[in-house]
Amino acid sequence: MNIRPLHDRVIVKRVDAERTTASGIVIPESATEKPDQGEVIAVGPGKRNDQGVQQTLDVKVGDRVLFGKYAGQTVKINGDEVLVMREEDIMGVVQA
């Protein structure tokens, strides 16, 4: 199933958090917090301003982004859990 977000919405797939500490201790999944980073897998066309001009989004498919712990709405697509959020909920793009 393909999905195309509307307006200024973005679909993000969470990136798995590190599960070992710097000293090599493995942290069980039940003790880890949900990651606050993800990869953009789809973007909407953008929001229209007061003059009716469509403003394109600053993020693009493939960007690794930071977002708040409780940002977005969680949905399941093809068995995968993804987040649907507005572009304004994204705090920044992680540069390599």
Side-chain angles (χ1 to χ4, degrees), residues 37-38 40 58-60 62-67 87 90-96:
Q37 290 187 25
V40 176
D58 291 331
V59 296
K60 60 186 181 305
D63 281 350
R64 189 175 188 130
V65 294
L66 292 174
F67 49 86
E87 184 186 32
I90 295 174
M91 292 186 268
V93 178
V94 178
Q95 301 291 326

Side-chain angles (χ1 to χ4, degrees), residues 11 14 19 46 53 59 72 91:
I11 297 179
R14 288 187 192 268
R19 298 194 23 207
V53 178
V59 296
M91 292 186 268

Side-chain angles (χ1 to χ4, degrees), residues 1-5 11 41-42 77-78:
M1 171 170 84
N2 290 332
I3 187 164
R4 180 179 53 92
I11 297 179
I41 58 173
I77 300 174
N78 295 337

